[in-house]
Amino acid sequence: MNLTSFINEIKSYNPAADLSLLRKSYRYAEKKHEGQTRLSGGPFFEHCKQIAQTLIALKMDVVTISAGLLHDVLEDTSTPREELEREFGAEVTNIVEGVTKINTIPFRIGVEKQAENLRKMVLAMTRDVRVILIKLADRLHNMRTLEYLPREKQVETAKETLEIYAPLAHRFGIYRLKSDLEDLCLKFLESDIYYDIARRLQSKRAEREEYAQRMTTLIRDELQKANIKAEVFGRAKHLYSIYEKVHRKGTAFEDMYDLIAFRVLVNTERDCYSVLGTIHAKWTPLPGRFKDYIALPKTNMYQSLHTTIIGLDGKPVEIQIRTHDMHKVAEYGIAAHWRYKEGIPADVESGEEFEWLRRIAEGVGDLRNPRQFMEMMRGELFPDDVYVFTPKGDVKAFPVGATPIDFAYSIHTEVGHTCVGAKINSNIVPLKYQLQSGDIVEIITDSNAKPSKDWLRIAKTSRALNKIRAWIRVEERSQSIELGEQLFEAEMKKLHLNSRRVLKSEEMLQVAQSLNFESVEDLLASIGYGKTSASHIANLIVPPPETEEKPEKPKPEISKLIEKSDMGVKIAGVDRPFIRIAKCCNPIPGDEIIGFITRGRGVSVHVADCTALPQTEERIVSVSWMPDNQITYPAEIAIQGNDRKGLLADVASAITKTGVNISGGAIKTDREMAENIFVVDVTGVEQLQKVVDAINRVKGVISVRRKKRLGVRG
Ligand code: MN
């Protein structure tokens, strides 16, 4: 393997190749890595050549092969980026840089690191997909030389390869790389099984090859009789796919009829179906095993007809039928894209095969949560598809596990937003129903319906997930604006100003802009979101008189308090805010309380001295309890007493006698002392006091106290 052999090989599939670029990058990389060795002891440049060799086997363009030779120059030599760009231009340099960026963060166990790394990978791929081809070739050689690394590192690398790189190769349809990577992973992760399968395959090799030979000849003869020009061959499946069948699906090794896959390659699509007809006329097909990936291509563009027939000696035999072009796609996947296409920019702006990548790239910016991102990647990387039909008979493909919600969003965003149910084959199903191939799906909509946050757990496709998230974001913003408006209005009322007029004034816009908001609406959203204080804005509009002392925050007067809110809490001057009772301190009526403006989730109500509350003055609002509301609130009480028999029952009955409901409890016994914790639903501190008094009267009770924190019990 040297420059001359590379040149000869490239010329054989690409006579017009720019060989000067290849020569230059070869010599440049060789010089840069001079003296460096790998852990195997061999020269580092050998690694670069191996990668070039893999890329040449995929018949890639010279730019990719050159970038492959140079892929470690930025990272492992002191070459500055500028120098590389000066020598080789932007195209090659961008690819090398893309590969380097993926390199610099090692994958570690932990979702966050993985997500971060995958995100980088996706972004690099979006800029130039050839980055991933080099990365895959790089990983392949690293897997091939994994034996030189410590055991721990071997496992880590192999796992990562199996979880990320092999699925990526699969997703891009590069079957050759995928199967090599998988076999190597098996070798390092399950070496006993790997060698066992290899040994068994070897022991029956002669037998198998003889069988393949006989079967191939028979098929060939049959096709000749039918006057179809075809290439027929049979070859053993790769180890990992055998492993999956034996160890995951529980097939006995002896029953492994499809250790050999037979392939028939023809010139036209029509011929594929003729071959199928001819084969089915001669041999009995196994029911349920026929798949038409020509009419319904896989998401990675794979096309083929699959069937299993009862072949020679009554053995089931799997046959794949496709055209030469389809075969190229099946073997090389997207790599086939760059053959003979020297100089064509390799972006992912267009092209169906990159649709999923664009989808992910679109979602990348929104997905700050690493778990969500990983889930989306997983969904896109393992696209075992199901095919379903619209009522009109159009076919749609979805990843396994997709639901009617995914279907609804695939029709139109509005259909997704308003979907309330679905009919599958005319039967009504819940939204979480998992679509099955062949289902006829009809979506039921209701123009008043809205998406729910729960859908994020139900939907599978990134399109649906992105649309639902976008909707929630808009919804939260409009709620924040509404709350911001109400809080601002309350401030204006104190100053006897008409809030509506102020909001429309030029002054208001100036204040907003001076604080770097694009609009008054943005400012209001920020107030509602708890990032900006309404009183601060009020002070900017109407500066407080300097001589006078700042008046104390006026306590809300009952008459000014408006309308009842759901939680029995009201905010001074604010109409129907969205309110939650904080779980950290569980205030009940009678407790002194304050409101805290949460980010995007309305106001949470805490006891005034809640320790869990951040010390951020501007996000605090005055709140008070609605008088005489009939709502009950959970309060936790801890009771200590002798560990006497029946104490618990007596306490419980004492509580119930006060007319209060017990909604939870726990017991902790420590030597002779027992601590019983009850959660009771009370209307306020007065009622709670009655409960406490009643418990105190029970014989054996030593102390009763209210726990303000609902922490871990027991
Ligand atoms: Mn490398």
Side-chain angles (χ1 to χ4, degrees):
M1 199 172 48
N2 56 30
L3 185 55
T4 318
S5 70
F6 284 171
I7 287 174
N8 289 336
E9 234 177 299
I10 294 170
K11 268 186 180 163
S12 74
Y13 67 84
N14 182 6
D18 173 8
L19 296 173
S20 66
L21 174 62
L22 183 84
R23 283 193 194 96
K24 188 174 173 188
S25 50
Y26 185 99
R27 292 192 183 116
Y28 185 88
E30 186 173 33
K31 192 150 179 36
K32 286 286 176 180
H33 290 296
E34 202 167 33
Q36 293 180 351
T37 50
R38 297 194 96 215
L39 281 181
S40 60
F44 194 95
F45 186 57
E46 183 62 26
H47 170 64
C48 308
K49 284 200 287 183
Q50 288 289 349
I51 280 147
Q53 185 64 63
T54 301
L55 295 167
I56 289 170
L58 290 172
K59 306 194 173 155
M60 291 299 295
D61 62 334
V62 172
V63 167
T64 313
I65 299 164
S66 297
L69 285 164
L70 296 164
H71 83 280
D72 271 331
V73 158
L74 288 181
E75 197 186 357
D76 293 329
T77 75
S78 52
T79 312
R81 188 195 188 281
E82 294 70 36
E83 185 186 313
L84 200 65
E85 182 154 4
R86 208 168 47 236
E87 296 289 330
F88 296 96
E91 197 183 3
V92 170
T93 309
N94 283 338
I95 298 176
V96 174
E97 197 182 35
V99 177
T100 309
K101 273 191 184 146
I102 300 173
N103 270 340
T104 42
I105 293 185
F107 274 105
R108 282 284 141 73
I109 292 97
V111 162
E112 262 156 61
K113 280 278 176 206
Q114 270 201 352
E116 192 180 332
N117 216 359
L118 266 177
R119 193 188 304 262
K120 288 197 169 195
M121 205 180 304
V122 167
L123 291 174
M125 285 190 285
T126 322
R127 280 174 60 191
D128 197 320
V129 185
R130 290 174 292 184
V131 166
I132 197 60
L133 293 169
I134 295 173
K135 196 61 209 164
L136 288 171
D138 183 39
R139 179 50 60 111
L140 180 61
H141 188 240
N142 288 339
M143 284 300 296
R144 282 183 177 151
T145 50
L146 203 56
E147 61 197 274
Y148 301 105
L149 295 186
R151 178 70 195 145
E152 196 185 313
K153 193 80 191 149
Q154 287 177 353
V155 171
E156 194 182 304
T157 309
K159 272 190 180 160
E160 182 189 87
T161 305
L162 202 55
E163 276 166 25
I164 310 285
Y165 289 95
L168 268 175
H170 174 72
R171 195 61 185 78
F172 283 113
I174 315 166
Y175 183 79
R176 291 184 157 207
L177 292 187
K178 178 210 170 201
S179 46
D180 282 356
L181 286 172
E182 283 177 344
D183 283 357
L184 286 161
C185 290
L186 187 63
K187 182 173 158 188
F188 286 98
L189 291 175
E190 303 268 12
S191 45
D192 291 350
I193 297 176
Y194 174 88
Y195 288 110
D196 182 49
I197 296 175
R199 192 178 44 75
R200 285 163 186 257
L201 278 178
Q202 190 58 36
S203 74
K204 298 223 169 154
R205 190 176 176 167
E207 201 182 307
R208 202 175 55 244
E209 276 174 2
E210 196 252 349
Y211 183 86
Q213 197 54 51
R214 279 163 58 211
M215 194 66 213
T216 306
T217 313
L218 278 179
I219 297 173
R220 223 176 256 148
D221 290 350
E222 211 54 36
L223 296 179
Q224 212 156 25
K225 273 190 246 163
N227 238 336
I228 304 167
K229 254 185 115 179
E231 259 178 57
V232 184
F233 52 92
R235 57 184 261 194
K237 291 191 164 177
H238 72 292
L239 286 179
Y240 191 79
S241 68
I242 296 172
Y243 161 76
E244 273 194 316
K245 282 216 164 93
V246 175
H247 289 268
R248 295 235 181 106
K249 296 181 184 158
T251 318
F253 198 87
E254 284 67 30
D255 302 339
M256 289 289 303
Y257 44 84
D258 39 12
L259 293 179
I260 316 163
F262 289 89
R263 286 203 187 120
V264 181
L265 302 187
V266 291
N267 290 323
T268 67
E269 199 177 302
R270 182 174 284 270
D271 283 350
C272 294
Y273 292 98
S274 306
V275 170
L276 182 77
T278 308
I279 288 175
H280 280 188
K282 168 83 181 170
W283 292 282
T284 309
L286 232 63
R289 296 274 309 223
F290 170 65
K291 293 209 177 81
D292 186 347
Y293 293 119
I294 293 180
L296 303 171
K298 287 194 189 183
T299 29
N300 63 8
M301 309 300 280
Y302 176 87
Q303 286 188 297
S304 209
L305 298 177
H306 288 191
T307 187
T308 303
I309 51 143
I310 310 292
L312 267 176
D313 312 332
K315 283 185 185 164
V317 165
E318 188 188 325
I319 302 176
Q320 303 172 350
I321 307 158
R322 52 203 187 216
T323 66
H324 292 282
D325 282 345
M326 291 172 191
H327 184 61
K328 251 175 236 162
V329 173
E331 292 283 290
Y332 299 104
I334 52 154
H337 224 66
W338 282 276
R339 300 159 126 203
Y340 318 111
K341 285 191 188 170
E342 213 68 32
I344 289 174
D347 59 39
V348 292
E349 291 297 306
S350 53
E352 253 183 279
E353 58 270 60
F354 302 127
E355 170 68 32
W356 67 280
L357 197 55
R358 289 197 294 273
R359 268 197 316 256
I360 294 182
E362 266 170 40
V364 160
D366 293 340
L367 290 177
R368 290 198 196 87
N369 179 337
R371 259 169 227 288
Q372 286 175 357
F373 180 74
M374 289 303 285
E375 239 167 65
M376 177 169 101
M377 275 308 276
R378 230 162 260 148
E380 295 288 358
L381 284 181
F382 301 97
D384 277 336
D385 299 334
V386 293
Y387 297 95
V388 298
F389 297 89
T390 68
K392 282 182 185 163
D394 295 332
V395 185
K396 282 178 175 286
F398 291 94
V400 163
T403 61
I405 293 175
D406 296 296
F407 186 94
Y409 277 101
S410 80
I411 297 172
H412 193 275
T413 306
E414 228 15 72
V415 175
H417 285 347
T418 56
C419 100
V420 288
K423 278 188 194 170
I424 304 289
N425 311 324
S426 307
N427 298 318
I428 292 190
V429 296
L431 286 175
K432 62 172 198 262
Y433 171 85
Q434 300 200 344
L435 300 177
Q436 307 292 322
S437 275
D439 282 350
I440 299 170
V441 189
E442 196 179 331
I443 297 297
I444 306 166
T445 59
D446 174 350
S447 56
N448 293 320
K450 289 172 182 174
S452 138
K453 266 191 181 176
D454 295 340
W455 290 8
L456 292 174
R457 284 198 304 271
I458 299 171
K460 272 272 147 25
T461 54
S462 46
R463 179 182 163 85
L465 290 169
N466 288 340
K467 296 288 180 191
I468 298 164
R469 276 191 206 102
W471 188 89
I472 290 171
R473 222 168 20 240
V474 170
E475 180 71 5
E476 278 179 353
R477 180 178 151 86
S478 73
Q479 283 185 347
S480 294
I481 291 174
E482 198 182 318
L483 179 62
E485 234 168 51
Q486 291 169 349
L487 292 168
F488 185 73
E489 192 183 340
E491 289 299 325
M492 289 297 100
K493 271 195 183 145
K494 285 185 213 157
L495 299 164
H496 306 289
L497 288 172
N498 179 326
S499 144
R500 237 162 240 232
R501 210 169 294 154
V502 175
L503 283 175
K504 279 182 191 147
S505 68
E506 184 57 30
E507 243 178 325
M508 187 69 192
L509 183 63
Q510 277 169 10
V511 167
Q513 281 166 349
S514 74
L515 296 169
N516 287 326
F517 292 104
E518 270 181 26
S519 64
V520 173
E521 217 175 51
D522 282 355
L523 170 58
L524 290 173
S526 173
I527 294 173
Y529 217 59
K531 282 182 187 161
T532 308
S533 120
S535 68
H536 176 60
I537 301 301
N539 285 342
L540 290 177
I541 303 257
V542 183
E546 278 172 42
T547 45
E548 279 176 47
E549 262 184 47
K550 205 177 160 192
E552 264 197 32
K553 242 186 208 170
K555 286 269 175 206
E557 289 169 38
I558 294 294
S559 62
K560 281 191 184 166
L561 296 171
I562 306 173
E563 273 190 53
K564 183 178 186 291
S565 92
D566 290 347
M567 294 312 298
V569 177
K570 52 200 169 183
I571 299 182
V574 172
D575 186 8
R576 284 195 317 106
F578 44 125
I579 285 180
R580 296 179 297 120
I581 302 293
K583 288 247 163 50
C584 55
C585 53
N586 276 329
I588 60 174
D591 288 331
E592 208 182 313
I593 48 174
I594 52 172
F596 179 74
I597 307 171
T598 64
R599 299 205 185 280
R601 286 185 302 145
V603 173
S604 67
V605 176
H606 298 253
V607 297
D609 55 356
C610 174
T611 48
L613 213 52
Q615 300 298 308
T616 11
E617 270 292 299
E618 66 271 15
R619 292 171 65 184
I620 302 292
V621 286
S622 320
V623 291
S624 60
W625 297 101
M626 294 288 302
D628 301 325
N629 73 69
Q630 287 309 303
I631 302 168
T632 57
Y633 301 81
E636 207 177 42
I637 40 183
I639 302 145
Q640 282 202 328
N642 299 323
D643 190 17
R644 78 162 168 86
K645 228 184 188 170
L647 178 70
L648 195 62
D650 290 350
V651 170
S653 110
I655 295 172
T656 318
K657 272 185 192 149
T658 65
V660 163
N661 179 46
I662 301 171
S663 63
I667 316 154
K668 200 169 81 181
T669 310
D670 181 20
R671 273 163 291 171
E672 284 95 60
M673 291 286 269
E675 188 175 57
N676 297 297
I677 293 169
F678 284 92
V679 181
V680 291
D681 298 332
V682 292
T683 53
V685 284
E686 258 176 52
Q687 194 178 34
L688 184 65
Q689 193 53 51
K690 281 181 193 154
V691 173
V692 169
D693 291 345
I695 298 169
N696 261 324
R697 286 194 291 269
V698 175
K699 203 181 127 215
V701 167
I702 295 161
S703 80
V704 184
R705 66 197 160 82
R706 173 178 170 204
K707 290 184 99 174
K708 279 199 180 167
R709 286 188 153 275
L710 268 184
V712 184
R713 290 180 202 146

